[in-house]
Amino acid sequence: MLQRLSLQNKIVIMFAIVIVLTMSVIVFFDTYSLRHAVEETYVRQLKGITIAINGRYEEKHSIDDVQQIFDYIRHKDPNVIKLTLHAKRGSSYVILASTDRKAIGQQSPSEYLPYLGLNQTLVSRMFNDGDEIAKVRLMAPLKEDGNTIGAIELLLDASQENVLIWNRIRQTILVGATTTLLLLGLLWLIIKKLLVLPLMALREAAVTVERGGSYQALKLNSSQEINEVATAFNKMVYNLEDRYQKSVTDSLTGVYNSAFFRQQLDKFMKQSRSYGNSLALLFCDVDNFKMLNDSKGHTYGDQILKEIASVITSNVRPMDVVCRYGGEEFVIIMPDADQNTAVQTAERIRQMAAIHCGHSLVNPITLSIGVALFPKDANEESLVHVADQAMYTAKSLGKNRVVTAAEIALYKNQVYMKRTKDSKWLFTAIVSLARAIEVKDPYTHSHSEIVSRYCSAIASTLGLPDEEVKQISIAALLHDIGKIGIPDSILHKDGVLSPEEYEIMKTHPVLGYNILASVEEFRGILPYILYHHERPDAKGYPHGLSHSQIPLGAKIIAVADAYHSIVSTRPYRKTPLIHEQAVEELQVGRDTQFDATVVDVFLSIIDEIRQ
């Protein structure tokens, strides 16, 4: 029961109990004091009578005089109901005088006997004797020559005194109850102002924080302790908000991160289902970003991402949620947005990014954006995927454009035709570059093509995916493209190169990398070309990598290139070595110059390749 009461009511009830108990004690004490005062009055009255009777009785030993005094007192004092003189005669007590004539001469009641011989005045408590009259009985010792020979009994009508006492009790209760109510009312107001209202404000603030609402700092005009609690609560909320913001914010760009995106997307999709509204999702990707990073460095790339984030946040509605999805990808949740609104926003972002981001006319910063609507284009599980596919469709169509989910099917044929065209262009470019190497260095005639075939066979035997086999084969075809930048005097020199000439020759992997780095289609093969002269024992070039640091494609090219170079005519070696000598060279360099696994695989299939 008490657990259901509010704190304010609990405190008031507690104080009410204390006050009621205190007032009860006061009433009891006041009643007791009043009763005691009345009894003292009765005793003094009886003592006066006793002194007079004792004096008269000791003087004359006349019962008649005592009787006269009794009658006089009874006549003068209407509150006196009866006066009786009990005297000892032999072993018993007899009533010698009384205002009740019938009682004279009778034995004293047996219940009086224990009190008649006592040398003190006794007062019995008030009682009703069947006639609704409150009475009090007093008994004082009767003395003769200093000895107690009996007792004088005084029976008084205490009705007036009883009424006085009850009136006093009622007044005390009334005053106490009034005082209690006033105190409780005042206490209620004090508690409400100093404790309950501040605590209620604190509770409301806590509920606001729990529900994720906007929090305003508490300012409580209360006691020092409550104010300190409010200050501590404000600091705690700000610390929590700061930690929460850091946990959901991308540290580089300042927009929300992917974890917050998932949380908000689920929330807005549920709201969209509940209210029947449309939800738009924009999937943005920075075009050619990896090439930008590779050519200008990650610091420049980070700056571009910050600028892109700023452009996006400046061109969306206040209710829209901008998040960094990962890498160079951004997503925008647009609640209650139709396709027209979403496409207009996407186009504005794309245009502003092209205008404000980046400062290079050769490599401008552009965005490809995919737009998908919920629930029109996709359900809860596939919305992100559909928006992502729309974005990739935009990239496939040439980048720097906006594509909606509804347009994906329409653009599929265009994408296919573009990819076919791009593949033809890429194949032509690769062949042309390979021919350029042969023109530069006639000794490499068909070398790149043969090395490419060897590499394709090794990669397939290793069980690599088809796409990776293709990438390694293309890299092998172009692995010596950097020799275009090597002077002919060094490239065609008969005999051993000087240390200076060898250092220049060692630059051809870096030259090849730089030649191909500006072509996005070649970015997957660049590590193979750059590192195909690295060695497991870290004695290779250009960076001295070892073992696992060297990409597998580069290890494969190294073995195939070495074998074919050994069995081919070179400016520095007019007579090529035979197959068995080449195999021996590979075995000698196994796990030092060449990767052991690649050597083993190559030697296991070389006879079949040669045939």
Side-chain angles (χ1 to χ4, degrees), residues 248 255-257 260-265 267-268 279-282 312-313 316-324 330-335:
V248 299
V255 300
Y256 293 111
N257 57 25
F260 186 78
F261 163 69
R262 292 292 181 184
Q263 173 188 340
Q264 292 298 300
L265 183 62
K267 182 183 77 172
F268 283 120
L279 170 71
L281 179 64
L282 276 58
I312 293 176
T313 53
V316 297
R317 304 172 302 172
M319 68 184 73
D320 298 336
V321 181
V322 180
C323 307
R324 184 183 178 190
F330 294 85
V331 285
I332 307 166
I333 304 173
M334 300 184 65

Side-chain angles (χ1 to χ4, degrees), residues 28-286:
F28 174 79
F29 182 76
D30 187 64
T31 304
Y32 172 79
S33 300
L34 184 58
R35 285 180 179 276
H36 185 69
V38 171
E39 290 179 356
E40 287 293 328
T41 302
Y42 292 154
V43 170
R44 285 194 297 271
Q45 182 180 0
L46 181 57
K47 283 184 177 180
I49 296 172
T50 303
I51 292 172
I53 292 175
N54 280 335
R56 182 67 63 86
Y57 185 76
E58 285 183 344
E59 180 182 351
K60 297 183 178 181
H61 294 283
S62 172
I63 297 301
D64 293 336
D65 288 344
V66 175
Q67 186 66 48
Q68 288 177 2
I69 295 173
F70 282 1
D71 291 338
Y72 179 78
I73 294 172
R74 175 73 177 82
H75 175 70
K76 286 293 186 179
D77 191 348
N79 290 329
V80 176
I81 297 175
K82 184 171 66 172
L83 271 166
T84 304
L85 175 63
H86 300 270
K88 189 173 184 181
R89 290 293 182 265
S91 59
S92 61
Y93 285 89
V94 179
I95 298 175
L96 298 182
S98 176
T99 54
D100 182 8
R101 295 292 193 278
K102 295 179 181 180
I104 298 173
Q106 294 183 6
Q107 296 285 331
S108 297
S110 58
E111 63 269 18
Y112 292 177
L113 295 181
Y115 311 106
L116 294 178
L118 297 177
N119 188 23
Q120 60 182 350
T121 301
L122 301 176
V123 181
S124 66
R125 297 188 178 278
M126 295 180 181
F127 63 94
N128 292 330
D129 198 14
D131 52 3
E132 299 182 356
I133 298 176
K135 302 172 183 178
V136 61
R137 175 177 283 111
L138 298 93
M139 297 187 72
L142 177 65
K143 296 182 180 294
E144 183 179 5
D145 298 331
N147 297 319
T148 300
I149 62 170
I152 297 174
E153 175 190 0
L154 173 61
L155 186 62
L156 294 173
D157 182 355
S159 298
Q160 292 182 357
E161 289 79 2
N162 200 30
V163 170
L164 175 63
I165 292 172
W166 282 112
N167 287 338
R168 181 66 173 271
I169 292 173
R170 281 193 291 270
Q171 291 175 1
T172 304
I173 293 175
L174 179 61
V175 172
T178 303
T179 304
T180 299
L181 292 176
L182 291 175
L183 288 175
L184 289 177
L186 180 61
L187 178 65
W188 186 85
L189 293 176
I190 293 174
I191 293 174
K192 183 176 181 180
K193 179 176 177 56
L194 297 181
L195 182 62
V196 175
L197 290 180
L199 289 179
M200 289 178 65
L202 190 61
R203 182 185 65 180
E204 290 298 323
V207 171
T208 300
V209 173
E210 179 188 8
R211 293 175 179 175
S214 177
Y215 179 73
Q216 299 294 331
L218 281 175
K219 296 181 180 179
L220 303 180
N221 185 18
S222 184
S223 64
Q224 180 180 354
E225 293 79 5
I226 297 296
N227 290 335
E228 288 176 354
V229 171
T231 301
F233 184 81
N234 288 334
K235 290 181 180 178
M236 179 189 70
V237 171
Y238 289 140
N239 288 335
L240 289 176
E241 286 184 344
D242 182 61
R243 292 181 182 179
Y244 176 72
Q245 286 299 321
K246 289 180 180 178
S247 69
V248 299
T249 302
D250 178 61
S251 59
L252 175 64
T253 61
V255 300
Y256 293 111
N257 57 25
S258 59
F260 186 78
F261 163 69
R262 292 292 181 184
Q263 173 188 340
Q264 292 298 300
L265 183 62
D266 290 341
K267 182 183 77 172
F268 283 120
M269 285 193 294
K270 289 178 182 178
Q271 291 179 358
S272 179
R273 284 287 190 193
S274 300
Y275 299 111
N277 298 330
S278 177
L279 170 71
L281 179 64
L282 276 58
F283 209 109
C284 312
D285 186 271
V286 183

Side-chain angles (χ1 to χ4, degrees), residues 270-315:
K270 289 178 182 178
Q271 291 179 358
S272 179
R273 284 287 190 193
S274 300
Y275 299 111
N277 298 330
S278 177
L279 170 71
L281 179 64
L282 276 58
F283 209 109
C284 312
D285 186 271
V286 183
D287 297 326
N288 305 318
F289 187 74
K290 187 177 186 308
M291 183 174 64
L292 181 73
N293 258 344
D294 292 341
S295 61
K296 295 196 174 184
H298 290 281
T299 302
Y300 181 79
D302 290 345
Q303 182 61 36
I304 292 299
L305 291 178
K306 293 178 183 178
E307 294 178 5
I308 292 291
S310 177
V311 166
I312 293 176
T313 53
S314 300
N315 289 278

Side-chain angles (χ1 to χ4, degrees), residues 312-462:
I312 293 176
T313 53
S314 300
N315 289 278
V316 297
R317 304 172 302 172
M319 68 184 73
D320 298 336
V321 181
V322 180
C323 307
R324 184 183 178 190
Y325 192 73
E328 69 275 19
E329 296 174 332
F330 294 85
V331 285
I332 307 166
I333 304 173
M334 300 184 65
D336 196 19
D338 56 18
Q339 180 163 308
N340 185 50
T341 301
V343 171
Q344 288 180 357
T345 302
E347 285 289 353
R348 184 168 61 250
I349 291 171
R350 184 188 65 80
Q351 294 170 7
M352 291 300 102
I355 293 172
H356 297 289
C357 298
H359 310 284
S360 173
L361 296 177
V362 178
N363 295 310
I365 303 301
T366 59
L367 292 178
S368 295
I369 304 176
V371 178
L373 297 182
F374 173 85
K376 177 184 176 182
D377 297 326
N379 58 22
E380 288 86 350
E381 290 74 23
S382 60
L383 180 63
V384 175
H385 173 71
V386 172
D388 186 45
Q389 289 300 307
M391 181 271 292
Y392 274 110
T393 301
K395 280 188 170 297
S396 301
L397 290 170
K399 306 173 185 177
N400 191 27
R401 66 174 60 203
V402 176
V403 172
T404 66
E407 295 173 327
I408 294 177
L410 177 65
Y411 286 134
K412 274 187 175 180
N413 187 54
Q414 296 183 32
V415 171
Y416 173 77
M417 296 299 293
K418 184 178 184 304
R419 285 180 177 175
T420 302
K421 183 178 178 181
D422 290 345
S423 297
K424 290 180 179 179
W425 172 87
L426 181 62
F427 179 77
T428 301
I430 293 171
V431 172
S432 299
L433 289 171
R435 294 291 181 263
I437 302 171
E438 294 180 3
V439 171
K440 176 73 172 178
D441 184 7
Y443 285 99
T444 62
H445 177 68
S446 301
H447 169 72
S448 296
E449 294 182 15
I450 295 173
V451 170
S452 177
R453 293 176 185 175
Y454 287 169
C455 289
S456 178
I458 296 171
S460 298
T461 305
L462 286 170

